[in-house]
Amino acid sequence: MTQMMSVAPITAVPSGTRRSNGDDLSRMDLGALMRHCAVESRLFYDHQEYDPRFAYELFRRALVERNEDAWEQVYQHYFQLVEHWVRRTGAFTVSGETSDFFVSAAFTRFWRAIPAERFGSFPTLAALLNYLRRCASCVVIDSARAQSYADILPEESINWNNQKFSHADEEATERVSRVEFWKLIDGLLQNEAERVIVRSSFLLGMKPGDIFAERGDLFSDISEVYAIKRNILVRLRRNPELQGLY
């Protein structure tokens, strides 16, 4: 199946009103459904009236029926669009991963987050695509933050033997863990210079030279940035409360 040629971001999908002979789309052959999806996608990207029902039916088959062929078509049809969202996420440039890696992760997160019983919470194609876009952004940001954890804490201090949670509990636990982590880090920093270094180094991926160039008002030279960063890491890695989070 040919992928979508345009990768312009979708911020809101208009509700197309054009109908196709009142057909029951659930009975339509997958090949025919995909041909309609391709036609309607071109209309949308050409800013013409379009019918979102075909793409929505494709998602329904993939997520409600768990139809593997339909899921493969969803993946192919929206691959370029998701890749575009991944590359637009600011943390992508400092993630160290390829866009293909994040596209796959975004689709996996999307699939896991919408079991059949939850599909009704997404009544439109716009709702589905906006959630898929959120998944694309989240996997990039989470990867960058995870790398920050690894930079701040030595690997041997992290307990990787976590309990197994349901998907919803897992997401909630990870979110609370991130909040607690950065709240504790902030409380251990002594001044604005240290906060700038931690935020710039571990959240924005900036190098000491870039930090000095942007905030020369806080530092006498680049060597001071290096020295403060080194002292911060030593202090944080020795902090028992911080290690206790893991």
Side-chain angles (χ1 to χ4, degrees):
M1 171 55 57
T2 302
Q3 297 175 3
M4 301 170 73
M5 297 304 295
S6 174
V7 292
I10 295 178
T11 55
V13 180
S15 55
T17 57
R18 194 161 45 82
R19 292 294 178 261
S20 178
N21 301 323
D23 293 339
D24 182 356
L25 298 188
S26 66
R27 299 181 181 179
M28 182 177 288
D29 172 79
L30 182 59
L33 183 66
M34 286 309 304
R35 287 192 291 274
H36 280 288
C37 285
V39 170
E40 300 300 333
S41 292
R42 284 195 295 270
L43 290 172
F44 170 76
Y45 285 108
D46 288 340
H47 304 287
Q48 299 181 41
E49 182 183 349
Y50 77 105
D51 190 340
R53 293 180 309 138
F54 300 100
Y56 188 80
E57 168 61 16
L58 181 64
F59 275 105
R60 189 198 65 79
R61 294 186 190 186
L63 297 172
V64 176
E65 298 179 4
R66 279 343 211 198
N67 183 302
E68 293 185 4
D69 291 336
W71 177 249
E72 178 62 25
Q73 294 299 335
V74 167
Y75 189 93
Q76 292 185 24
H77 191 65
Y78 290 104
F79 181 95
Q80 290 185 350
L81 182 61
V82 175
E83 184 179 39
H84 174 78
W85 290 332
V86 162
R87 290 183 174 277
R88 286 195 60 181
T89 304
F92 174 71
T93 58
V94 298
S95 67
E97 298 286 356
T98 65
S99 59
D100 284 359
F101 171 84
F102 286 123
V103 170
S104 179
F107 275 110
T108 298
R109 186 180 186 125
F110 181 78
W111 169 272
R112 290 181 59 200
I114 310 181
E117 60 271 17
R118 195 185 174 201
F119 185 77
S121 301
F122 301 88
T124 66
L125 177 61
L128 288 167
L129 290 179
N130 284 331
Y131 191 77
L132 180 57
R133 180 177 58 180
R134 285 180 55 195
C135 289
S137 298
C138 285
V139 294
V140 179
I141 293 170
D142 285 352
S143 177
R145 285 173 174 167
Q147 184 59 47
S148 297
Y149 291 7
D151 288 341
I152 291 175
L153 290 176
E155 183 173 0
E156 60 270 17
S157 71
I158 302 178
N159 176 18
W160 298 108
N161 298 315
N162 296 322
Q163 311 178 49
K164 297 299 182 182
F165 297 102
S166 68
H167 179 69
D169 287 341
E170 180 180 312
E171 283 198 342
T173 300
E174 289 178 354
R175 184 165 57 251
V176 170
S177 179
R178 289 195 296 267
V179 171
E180 290 180 346
F181 179 84
W182 289 111
K183 183 177 180 179
L184 180 54
I185 290 292
D186 188 68
L188 294 172
L189 301 177
Q190 298 176 349
N191 51 50
E192 178 64 14
E194 289 192 350
R195 291 185 176 87
V196 167
I197 287 176
V198 167
R199 182 172 60 251
S200 301
S201 297
F202 301 113
L203 292 180
L204 302 180
M206 296 173 64
K207 298 179 180 179
D210 299 326
I211 297 173
F212 175 69
E214 186 169 298
R215 293 304 307 270
D217 57 310
L218 292 176
F219 312 102
S220 58
D221 52 33
I222 296 177
S223 62
E224 184 181 6
V225 178
Y226 276 103
I228 294 176
K229 181 177 180 180
R230 183 169 57 252
N231 291 337
I232 292 171
L233 289 175
V234 170
R235 188 191 324 138
L236 295 181
R237 287 173 175 175
R238 290 176 177 174
N239 184 269
E241 188 178 0
L242 181 59
Q243 294 183 16
L245 286 178
Y246 296 90

